[in-house]
Amino acid sequence: MVEVLKRRKPRPAPETREHAPPSPLRRALGWCVHTYTASGLAIAAVILALLVEGGLDAFRWSFLLMFTATIVDATDGTFARAVRIKEAVPSFDGRRLDDITDFLTYTFLPLMLIWRAGLIPAGYEAWLIAPLLASAYGFCQVDVKTHDGYFLGFPSLWNIVALYLYALTIPQWGALGVVLLLAFLTFVPVKHLYPSQPGRLNRFATITGSVWGVLVAWLAWRLPTSAQGSIDAGTTTLALVSLIYPAFYMGTSWYITIRDWSRPEHRSPA
């Protein structure tokens, strides 16, 4: 028996099968997801046209469309994972498309709105190049997402910054100071919460952020039109109340960072 076993040839290893090409339906679904992501570019084009036009109505609709673009950005990843987008359309890089759209709707267009709405002093508009370049740096950082579930540096949420500067009618010099400070914080390795990542704090930020998102949508809807002419007291109060979440977000992020800076050996996930 031993001799027979010795003479028996080993079985060849099973051949690895290549991934079968996606079915026409799945490929079509993949392109539908990419089209959904690309709708953010269409929204950006409409915002650009509105900002070129200018005026209270245009600014109000620009904020509403920025909110719509944020909803698209928050949901397209779920759809992409559902269809396994890299297998459905392997020849197309949806992440790159998403980055292009995000840079327009989170950075370039909000900064353009700050300029067109006159939120900073006249003659100092060139300083808006600082947050533009800072965001470009942030978008290109490879290690901007940490292994323990944080986002390093100020996230380029200039659409939110523009909304509060606009709704709270902050003095122009104060608004310029806020813009430059946040641009500087892009380079500071502060651990900001990343709600889409695992962790109790991130889950809490997701739940409370959903409530805050409703308030932000309501705030954008209440912004003045050309018929109203100015921001009323109710809109200002709503803006101040909704600031609770950004204050929690920034305060918690700084607390976690200072704690880790003081105790380098401590690395607890969010």
Side-chain angles (χ1 to χ4, degrees):
M1 177 66 69
V2 174
E3 292 297 323
V4 172
L5 291 175
K6 288 182 179 179
R7 293 173 186 173
R8 184 176 296 174
K9 296 181 179 179
R11 294 181 180 179
E15 296 181 0
T16 56
R17 296 181 179 178
E18 297 182 356
H19 290 291
S23 66
L25 175 60
R26 190 172 166 205
R27 187 171 179 83
L29 290 174
W31 279 114
C32 286
V33 173
H34 286 316
T35 302
Y36 179 66
T37 301
S39 67
L41 289 177
I43 294 172
V46 176
I47 296 173
L48 178 60
L50 288 169
L51 294 180
V52 169
E53 177 185 350
L56 295 178
D57 292 321
F59 297 146
R60 175 176 177 269
W61 279 108
S62 293
F63 281 120
L64 288 169
L65 288 173
M66 287 180 192
F67 180 80
T68 304
T70 302
I71 295 298
V72 172
D73 179 55
T75 55
D76 62 352
T78 301
F79 298 144
R81 288 187 291 272
V83 302
R84 298 201 300 273
I85 194 71
K86 290 185 178 181
E87 298 175 14
V89 190
S91 61
F92 192 86
D93 191 348
R95 186 176 295 275
R96 186 172 300 177
L97 174 63
D98 188 64
D99 287 343
I100 294 171
T101 305
D102 287 352
F103 189 78
L104 288 174
T105 56
Y106 285 95
T107 297
F108 179 79
L109 292 171
L111 293 176
M112 183 177 179
L113 190 151
I114 291 174
W115 163 55
R116 290 289 289 148
L119 301 183
I120 61 174
Y124 289 82
E125 294 85 357
W127 283 102
L128 292 176
I129 296 176
L132 185 72
L133 295 178
S135 291
Y137 169 84
F139 268 83
C140 295
Q141 283 296 293
V142 176
D143 298 327
V144 72
K145 301 173 185 178
T146 68
H147 68 280
D148 51 352
Y150 297 98
F151 189 97
L152 281 183
F154 170 69
S156 298
L157 301 175
W158 294 104
N159 50 349
I160 300 301
V161 176
L163 176 62
Y164 281 112
L165 294 180
Y166 186 87
L168 294 173
T169 59
I170 295 177
Q172 292 179 324
W173 285 105
L176 179 59
V178 169
V179 168
L180 294 179
L181 175 62
L182 293 177
F184 170 75
L185 290 179
T186 305
F187 301 95
V188 180
V190 174
K191 286 185 173 183
H192 290 81
L193 297 178
Y194 199 161
S196 63
Q197 296 296 312
R200 286 177 296 177
L201 265 179
N202 281 330
R203 285 195 297 271
F204 180 76
T206 300
I207 296 171
T208 54
S210 301
V211 177
W212 172 72
V214 175
L215 294 179
V216 167
W218 188 17
L219 175 61
W221 182 259
R222 286 182 57 99
L223 291 177
T225 63
S226 56
Q228 295 170 313
S230 62
I231 296 175
D232 57 30
T235 303
T236 301
T237 301
L238 177 60
L240 290 172
V241 170
S242 67
L243 267 176
I244 294 175
Y245 179 79
F248 153 76
Y249 180 86
M250 296 297 289
T252 304
S253 299
W254 272 97
Y255 167 76
I256 292 171
T257 301
I258 293 174
R259 181 195 64 187
D260 285 356
W261 284 350
S262 61
R263 295 184 297 169
E265 73 282 358
H266 186 69
R267 292 291 184 273
S268 63

